[in-house]
């Protein structure tokens, strides 16, 4: 659970994204793409889920990439090489189905780009033709472009302000790629991770073209072992626990209004700052 490498991947006035390599030989040995860990920075702290972006089973490390959005991610960001997390549990959740689907599209928005990285790598290695669409607010916040290039047959970039790639949204490109595919390529799958409005819109576009779309959901999680019910989502009219039944689901079947509402329940309390200490070795 010791941090052995720390890097800032992106930084602007209001957003910081960091990459940590953490010693955890057992998780590194077991993890598969699409799975996540739950960690605690310190004993008094809360548990938060983060996707396992990469692993090195030879030296027993896992890689986490996180955006500092609130108290726990900011405390995590303050930890230094040599510090140890208070607790780390994983790998959790179902792994992504990896097989040769043929032609597929990966869509990543914001820090969701980190979450598509392990999936893009595994799907490429399984022989798929991969088209990847990345979206960020601006060029400074675009992460993993070079790393993902290696695993993409086609790579498109959009930024809200046009500072890199096309000005606009990932769904603009998705619409174009799918329209073109009507006469050329047949896509069997879309895999999307990012902010809820982005994933929702990707599913709307995909539905018009009748392409199956998998999304990795980010509901609030507490125990992440199926016991508390905090992460419940409605998919195809049925209640599912994202931590044990997901986090991936058929995006066209997700009740997005409910997920949006549930994720904002504690917004006022999340702004409350308290004084927690980081444990170190
Ligand atoms: P807070 O101020 O407490 O909350 C900010 C926002 O983060 C909330 O509005 C809510 O949307 C979300 N959040 C807060 N607490 C939790 C919680 N316990 N569980 C889930 N979401 C919460 N983020 C990354 O940057 N990188 C990742 O790889 C990543 N992977 C994730 C994988 C899964 C399966 C899930 C469910 C979430 C993932 N997240 C990831 C989101 C990350 O867990 C939240 O950003 C983090 O918990 C925020 O905590 P905070 O105390 O810093 O912020
Ligand atoms: Fe408690 Fe999923 S986080 S049931
Ligand atoms: Mg929090």
């Amino acid at each position: 659970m010791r941090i052995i490498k720390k890097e800032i991947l992106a930084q602007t006035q209001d957003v910081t994204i960091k990459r940590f390599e953490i010693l955890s030989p057992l998780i590194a040995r077991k993890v598969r793409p699409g799975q996540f860990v739950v960690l605690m920075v310190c004993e008094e702290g809360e548990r938060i889920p983060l996707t396992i972006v990469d692993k090195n089973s030879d030296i027993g490390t896992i890689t986490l990439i996180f955006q500092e959005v609130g108290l726990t991610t900011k405390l995590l960001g303050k930890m230094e090489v040599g510090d140890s997390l208070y607790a780390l549990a994983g790998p959790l959740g179902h792994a992504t189905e990896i097989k040769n689907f043929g032609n597929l599209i990966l869509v990543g928005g914001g820090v969701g780009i980190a979450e598509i990285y392990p999936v893009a790598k595994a799907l490429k290695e399984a022989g798929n033709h991969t088209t990847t669409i990345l979206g960020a607010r601006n060029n400074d916040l675009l992460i993993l472009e070079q790393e993902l290039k290696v695993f993409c047959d086609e790579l498109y970039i959009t930024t809200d302000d046009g500072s890199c790639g096309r000005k606009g949204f990932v769904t603009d490109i998705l619409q174009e790629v799918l329209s073109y595919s009507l006469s050329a390529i047949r896509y069997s799958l879309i895999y999307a991770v990012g902010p809820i409005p982005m994933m929702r819109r990707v599913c709307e576009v995909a539905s018009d073209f009748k392409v199956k779309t998998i999304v990795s959901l980010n509901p609030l999680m507490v125990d992440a072992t199926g016991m508390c019910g905090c992460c419940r989502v409605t998919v195809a009219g049925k209640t599912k626990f994202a931590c044990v039944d997901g986090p991936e689901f058929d995006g066209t079947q997700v009740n997005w209004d409910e997920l949006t509402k549930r994720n904002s329940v504690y917004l006022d309390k999340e702004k409350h700052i308290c004084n927690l200490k980081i444990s170190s070795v």
Side-chain angles (χ1 to χ4, degrees):
M1 294 194 294
R2 191 155 42 85
I3 297 162
I4 61 155
K5 196 170 174 193
K6 172 181 179 178
E7 276 169 276
I8 296 175
L9 282 189
Q11 193 157 39
T12 61
Q13 222 172 8
D14 57 339
V15 179
T16 306
I17 302 177
K18 290 182 177 160
R19 172 159 58 192
F20 278 14
E21 275 178 39
I22 296 170
L23 207 53
S24 183
L26 293 179
I27 299 179
R29 204 183 304 153
K30 284 263 175 192
V31 64
R32 288 185 290 142
Q35 292 186 299
F36 64 95
V37 286
V38 160
L39 63 83
M40 288 175 75
V41 170
C42 51
E43 192 175 1
E44 304 87 351
E46 63 183 355
R47 301 158 63 101
I48 61 157
L50 292 176
T51 301
I52 304 168
V53 178
D54 212 349
K55 57 147 186 202
N56 183 330
S57 25
D58 294 335
I59 54 169
T61 58
I62 58 166
T63 302
L64 306 179
I65 293 178
F66 59 95
Q67 180 169 341
E68 295 184 0
V69 288
L71 179 62
T72 304
T73 46
K74 282 183 183 152
L75 280 173
L76 181 61
K78 286 199 171 112
M79 296 186 85
E80 297 297 344
V81 169
D83 289 340
S84 263
L85 295 169
Y86 175 74
L88 181 67
L92 299 167
H94 285 289
T96 311
E97 185 185 13
I98 303 295
K99 65 174 190 183
N100 194 338
F101 293 93
N103 299 301
L104 51 87
I105 303 174
L106 296 137
V107 187
V111 77
I113 294 173
E115 301 181 48
I116 66 161
Y117 175 79
V119 175
K121 188 175 172 185
L123 286 170
K124 185 68 204 146
E125 285 166 1
N128 290 284
H129 180 280
T130 59
T131 299
T132 301
I133 308 170
L134 306 180
R137 263 161 54 188
N138 56 50
N139 186 39
D140 293 337
L141 294 176
L142 180 68
I143 56 167
L144 303 183
E145 181 192 352
Q146 297 309 321
E147 287 94 330
L148 270 163
K149 239 181 208 163
V150 181
F151 303 111
C152 301
D153 295 286
E154 291 171 52
L155 178 67
Y156 300 94
I157 292 178
T158 60
T159 46
D160 296 3
D161 64 357
S163 52
C164 183
R166 171 99 69 92
K167 184 175 189 314
F169 301 112
V170 287
T171 41
D172 302 336
I173 304 261
L174 180 66
Q175 178 99 35
E176 283 173 29
V177 169
L178 289 173
S179 304
Y180 176 71
S181 78
L182 288 178
S183 57
I185 307 170
R186 170 84 198 131
Y187 289 100
S188 338
L189 184 75
I190 298 170
Y191 184 93
V193 191
I196 291 174
M198 184 212 91
M199 291 193 282
R200 183 180 196 158
R201 181 71 193 123
V202 164
C203 294
E204 285 165 2
V205 173
S207 292
D208 292 343
F209 293 88
K210 300 191 172 38
V211 183
K212 184 179 173 184
T213 304
I214 301 292
V215 290
S216 182
L217 296 184
N218 54 352
L220 296 174
M221 291 186 180
V222 178
D223 69 285
T225 58
M227 290 192 292
C228 70
C230 182
C231 67
R232 65 181 179 273
V233 289
T234 305
V235 183
K238 293 200 176 101
T239 299
K240 300 279 178 188
F241 288 177
C243 65
V244 287
D245 299 321
E248 294 175 3
F249 295 100
D250 177 345
T252 56
Q253 302 295 318
V254 170
N255 183 333
W256 294 104
D257 285 335
E258 180 193 60
L259 178 60
T260 308
K261 231 184 264 169
R262 285 185 61 81
N263 263 19
S264 55
V265 163
Y266 301 108
L267 276 184
D268 55 335
K269 293 180 182 65
E270 283 157 2
K271 294 195 181 12
H272 180 74
I273 300 293
C274 43
N275 249 343
L276 298 179
K277 284 204 196 83
I278 297 163
S279 54
S280 57
V281 284

